[in-house]
């Protein structure tokens, strides 16, 4: 066991998978430049020393190199592509949505597309084009799997599961959770480090986890919002409200049984996502809860999200944009009737 | 004449198969018995035939919204194609792809990509896989003239170039992108001139001359296999049918169209074969008859094949 | 008054707006080619004869010409850009989502982006890359307005409102509703024609309409699904179930008051959208209903959508993909407890 | 010497203002008092100064993730910029944009576009507006070397070319895209060589020579205004600072960096001014002092300005 940050755990996971399987390679911008940064958030730092040929530094051509990852994947390779900021996925939507997500289906099930696409998300003081949480956009795209690790343990475990999966897996990582050190550290970061086992392990895609047990209200959130939900649960505990915090870890497939079981116990649900409210991940979870758990719910399902605005630059406005533990706790208080 | 007779006749057979296939399909559409929409290959047969004849068995191709010719030339067989066009589970994509997505990777053809230009990065990525595994294979990317204006073309060709990947980019310049003359959307004499911007060779070839296409492709494949990187091949041709089902083509000038018909590739090659004494009229007609029989049989089996069950739609999303 | 199809009504609307305002121009592929088609669905047919300079036929460069529309808009023009199939919006997501939707906000409210972007949607026998309904993807993008006309009257009226709006407006049109004639007619089309008034009119963006009154259950749908909902209401009427059918017409802003008022009356809600279920427009409406109308709902909000699959080619499978009047009626029957 | 003294000194003042502004900003970051991140313009001052000096008052520019130099050269003023970098409502984007999106269209600068390459279609579209309204204005698109590999560059430049729009594309080739040498991502001698693929002229100029940049831009603007279409200008320079906040630049070879510092544009221009007798040391130092005072005053007012209220975030989404 060794304590690692998410950046370190992902790096170790990539190193192990590349050593284990010659078909695995990384492709992206500034990921393997000697003297460089190991990508925008140090995840691939140093890997080029051991895997020069399989660390492919690309031009600034997201649609191009993600399309190349698809081509390599259908020829039997297992590419791990990454964009420096999730916002740049928007430059590659044709390849991701029209090609990658549909290629197997269009082939009548004859092709496999084993491909991992990593994307850092979260509002982090860079303004509207470097802070979007685009998870919701991909919920409506069948053919993709989506994972959102909130801890170093899950980051490594889900990365390994993704690399070994025969389907395209989109992995969202939060900039404030990497725990990148030194020059590349993010201000406002949270500690998401974990003890990482010596032995090989994978976290099954589609399986969520209860982060804190409670009987009064269920709070669901991923990435940074999972940590904010835990902080909210702590606040609530002080007031005698026992919140259960669930981290789905995967958005597609979604561990509905876990959430349903919890809501059947607590009868109240608060769903948290960073990013605009309308058409959000929270909306999808709330809709399914309303459809299937109506008889158990004693309060409306509450969505705690960002307002419907782009990510503003100024810190006071951006802190207002990003859901806080206080806002989550408030929604929980309201649902238990405490206010 | 340095070509084997069998080889020349196989080129002829491929071109005729494509032409008759497309004519039959068009007729099936007019009869209203075939679902969906189509983009047909009439007039461009020499390109698919010439390029694919130059490929090794392990080489692969990507295709476009106009894929029937590529599929036939790559050897998918008319029956699996016809079944796919009819949306049958017995089709090459089990009825889930349809005309614009026909393909069969076991035959070296990726399901056709109907988003203009989007096959360029995909073909380049297949070439990257060959490079990483040190396999002597080449990926060929078919595209229309209109594709050269898509960002995907630019990004994909550039990466093929900087890494000298084993890929050949074949532009089928049929003068039109849908109803838009390519001359209105590029400020160039030849589309092959775009190659210079990527530091790779560009070649313009008569796309209606199957042997010229074959030779030019062979040279490009040899370079690619030798690690010398991509070639941008521009094959000049003409679309002697509508852009898609039921297009009257009023935007094509009469005389231009007439001239194109005079230079269409099959008549051109037929005359050459006869003149070279590579075959006599009877032999060529015999091939035509065999092809027609094969297509008729494909049509019958396709129309007779059972439809998919509606709920079959639910499968094949994930592996 | 004259009876017009959606294609004709849009054409007339464009003609009138271009005549009225020199700043209005159209930009897209094959929209003004002499001897051509007037775009993929005949909407702009012949406009080049009167407005040659302002009918701009582009190369196949969606991201490029949509970005150009943005540049022209901030310089005071009022571009109407269109893609031939909604699926191609995916080639231009950077310009639409990163630039167009955010430009005003990033400028601190100093810029205006009066731009219309038209996109045909719907599953129509062309396979997975020409049949997507991408409305849901843009719900999560603040800065865009979204309209979805189901009739010729609304198509012309919403187009005019969009052209005159100082914000980017995304207009989704359904291929089976255009009523395009002759060579370009779509098989499986529905009649969405209307009597179009002589005088100038606009349909306000954000205002929905009740298409059929009823007291037992509220059915909400746009575009083709609105027509399927009406057909379902007809089936239900035969069984003594009185369905109220609401056509929101705009998705952003959304006429929530209209839907809420109806649900307060009927106590039951069925939401219909074409396209995959997870992360759909139906999910958003269901989530908001659950949050704000829980006390009025006597049955779970039902979503009637496509399954989570790409659009399959074969007609039997595609008809299974596209929600039918029968499936909508079934959901309504279940919500009123008739089955 | 054919330039007015005032003109030469205004170029000098612009370059010095940019340099001192960036140095001050870097310091504010190291002190930890400035929010966000930055991409700084050190070493490229001659390009923004030379290009913008050639513009008419009604001409417009688009910028990138590295926009401070463009903003200063276009005359936005250091105070509105500094306020924006501090996220104040008094900033040029009311604190909503931040460093990567500074701009003010009333001064002819679109809010900077931080997605690499995405400004190319936007600038081209502004030029289209000028063409449609028959206004004698030109749009200038600043971009980094890395932008030439984005699809948006390809699509935008091609449309500017085929319609001969009044736009000038200026590539600031500082040899690196983030940590990646541009030489590794294009297979070309000069980035200006990409112009040929679009049928427009491409020019490579010494981007550290402000007068060379000025002259070359004037020529391109004249062509554009005359209806002769775009020019692709490649200005050769070097990034003598980190790519962004706190980049140690270990990927830049020592000697390369040293050589670049010897050729940095301000020292170069200073020497030339003295040698030409256009100004004496004292005059130049006086300018530097004025600039420092102006920047100091901007910093003070920015740090003293009230923060936005959190709920101010809700406004300005829709007109
Ligand atoms: C990205 C994209 N834009 C538009 C279309 C619609 N479309 C289908 S084919 C076509 C014309 C393509 O022209 P070209 O590339 O020359 O191929 P050709 O049809 O001549 O074979 C267009 C515009 C598309 N399929 N994809
Ligand atoms: C589409 C896109 N991809 C990646 C990035 C991340 N990124 C920001 S700046 C940069 C390097 C840009 O290099 P260049 O264009 O040469 O400009 P320079 O930084 O040298 O001024 C990268 C990769 C981005 N902002 N946009
Ligand atoms: Mg063509
Ligand atoms: Mg650079």
């Amino acid at each position: 066991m060794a304590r690692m940050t998410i950046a370190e755990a992902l790096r170790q996971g990539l190193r192990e998978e590349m050593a284990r399987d010659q078909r695995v390679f990384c492709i992206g911008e500034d990921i393997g430049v000697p003297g460089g940064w190991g990508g925008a958030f140090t995840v691939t730092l140093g890997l080029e020393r051991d895997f020069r040929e399989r660390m492919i530094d690309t031009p600034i051509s997201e649609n191009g190199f993600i399309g190349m990852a698809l081509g390599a994947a259908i020829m039997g390779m297992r590419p791990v592509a990454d964009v420096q900021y999730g916002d740049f996925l928007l430059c590659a939507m044709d390849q991701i949505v029209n090609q990658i997500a549909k290629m197997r289906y269009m082939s009548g099930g004859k092709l496999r597309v084993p491909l991992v696409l990593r994307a850092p998300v979260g509002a982090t003081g860079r303004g509207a084009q470097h802070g979007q949480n685009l998870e919701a956009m991909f919920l409506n795209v069948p053919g993709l799997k989506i994972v959102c690790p909130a801890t170093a343990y899950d980051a490594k475990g889900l990365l390994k599961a993704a690399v070994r999966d025969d389907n395209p897996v989109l992995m969202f990582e939060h900039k404030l959770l990497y725990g990148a050190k030194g020059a590349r550290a993010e201000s406002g970061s949270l500690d998401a480090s974990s003890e990482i086992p010596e032995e090989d392990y994978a976290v099954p895609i589609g399986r969520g986890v209860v982060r804190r047990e409670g009987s009064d209200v269920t709070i669901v959130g991923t990435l940074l919002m999972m940590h904010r939900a835990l902080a909210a649960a702590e606040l609530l505990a002080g007031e005698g409200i026992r919140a259960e915090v669930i981290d789905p870890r995967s958005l597609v497939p979604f561990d509905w049984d876990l959430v349903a079981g919890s809501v059947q116990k607590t009868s109240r649900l608060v769903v948290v996502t960073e990013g605009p409210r309308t058409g959000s991940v929270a909306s999808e979870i709330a809709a399914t809860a309303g459809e299937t758990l109506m008889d158990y719910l004693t309060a409306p399902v509450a969505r705690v999200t960002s307002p419907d605005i782009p990510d503003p630059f100024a810190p006071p406005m951006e802190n207002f944009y990003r859901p806080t533990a206080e806002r989550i706790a408030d929604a929980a208080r309201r649902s238990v009737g405490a206010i | 004449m340095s070509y084997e007779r069998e080889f020349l006749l196989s080129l002829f057979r491929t071109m005729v198969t494509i032409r008759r296939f497309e004519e039959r399909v068009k007729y099936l559409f007019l009869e209203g018995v075939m679902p969906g929409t189509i983009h047909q290959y009439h007039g461009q047969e020499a390109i698919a035939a010439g390029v694919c004849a130059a490929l090794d068995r392990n080489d692969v191709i990507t295709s476009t919204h106009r894929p029937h010719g590529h599929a036939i030339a790559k050897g998918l067989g008319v029956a699996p194609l016809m079944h796919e066009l009819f949306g049958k589970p017995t089709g090459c994509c089990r009825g889930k792809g349809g005309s614009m997505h026909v393909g069969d990777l076991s035959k070296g053809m990726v399901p056709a990509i109907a988003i203009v230009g989007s096959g360029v990065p995909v073909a380049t990525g297949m070439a990257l896989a060959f490079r990483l595994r040190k396999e002597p294979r080449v990926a060929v990317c078919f595209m229309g003239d209109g594709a050269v204006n898509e960002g995907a073309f630019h990004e994909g060709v550039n990466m093929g170039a900087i890494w000298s990947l084993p890929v050949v980019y074949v532009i089928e310049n049929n003068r039109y992108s849908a109803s838009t003359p390519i001359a209105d959307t590029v400020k160039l004499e030849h589309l092959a001139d775009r190659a210079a911007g990527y530091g790779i060779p560009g070649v313009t070839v008569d796309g209606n001359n199957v042997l010229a296409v074959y030779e030019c492709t062979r040279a490009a494949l040899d370079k690619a296999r030798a690690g010398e990187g991509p070639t941008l091949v521009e094959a000049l041709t003409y679309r002697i049918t509508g852009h898609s089902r039921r297009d009257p083509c009023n935007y094509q000038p009469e005389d231009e169209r007439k001239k194109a018909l005079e230079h269409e590739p099959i008549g051109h090659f037929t005359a050459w074969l006869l003149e070279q004494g590579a075959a006599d009229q009877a032999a060529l007609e015999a091939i035509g008859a065999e092809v027609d029989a094969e297509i008729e049989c494909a049509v019958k089996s396709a129309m007779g094949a059972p439809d998919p069950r509606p709920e079959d739609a639910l499968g094949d999303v994930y592996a």
Side-chain angles (χ1 to χ4, degrees), chain A residues 225 228-229 232 272 304 319-329:
Chain A
M225 292 302 108
R228 293 274 166 100
V272 192
V304 180
N319 293 332
F320 172 82
Y321 171 89
R322 221 190 282 101
T324 58
E326 196 37 61
R327 278 184 55 212
I328 298 167

Side-chain angles (χ1 to χ4, degrees), chain A residues 53 57 61 63-65 67-68 71-72 74-75 77 94-95 99 104-106 108-112 143-144 167, chain B residues 92-94 96-97 101 105 113 115 118 121-122 125-126 130 132-134 137 155 159 163 313 315-316 318-319:
Chain A
E53 274 205 328
D57 292 305
S61 308
N63 196 51
F65 73 72
M68 285 183 65
I74 58 179
M75 296 316 292
M77 300 298 286
D94 170 59
Q95 288 293 335
Q99 316 306 332
R104 174 178 174 79
Y105 194 77
M106 296 190 303
K110 294 181 177 175
L111 288 185
R112 288 165 189 275
L144 302 176
N167 298 287
Chain B
C92 57
C93 301
R94 305 216 175 106
K96 285 183 169 150
H101 304 300
L105 199 50
I113 291 171
I115 305 295
S118 300
V122 176
M126 296 195 289
F130 302 152
L132 287 169
R133 287 200 301 255
K134 305 187 170 41
R137 302 164 68 182
E155 298 183 10
M159 285 187 274
W163 296 319
D316 300 324
Y318 295 96

Side-chain angles (χ1 to χ4, degrees), chain B residues 39 65-66 114-116 144-147 150 174 176-178 239 243:
Chain B
H39 303 84
H65 58 283
R66 197 177 300 285
I115 305 295
V116 169
D145 45 279
E150 272 290 351
N174 62 8
Y176 290 89
S177 315
R239 200 189 67 222
H243 166 63

Side-chain angles (χ1 to χ4, degrees), chain A residues 29-30 60 62 84-85 88 91 130:
Chain A
E29 295 157 13
D30 304 290
I60 307 175
E62 288 78 7
Q84 297 191 333
Y85 289 81
F88 312 152
C91 299
H130 287 70

Side-chain angles (χ1 to χ4, degrees), chain B residues 8-60:
Chain B
L8 294 171
L9 293 185
S10 72
L11 288 177
F12 178 80
R13 177 182 293 270
T14 302
M15 291 166 70
V16 169
T17 306
I18 296 171
R19 177 71 56 91
R20 306 274 174 106
F21 181 90
E22 293 292 45
E23 280 167 357
R24 190 69 180 90
V25 164
K26 184 168 218 155
Y27 188 71
L28 290 162
F29 262 99
L30 294 176
E31 282 181 304
V33 299
M34 186 169 265
T37 186
I38 40 165
H39 303 84
Q40 302 199 287
Y41 204 67
H42 299 77
Q44 305 179 202
E45 295 86 352
I47 301 171
V51 167
C52 292
L55 299 178
D56 284 357
R57 238 186 68 272
N58 291 328
D59 295 336
V60 293

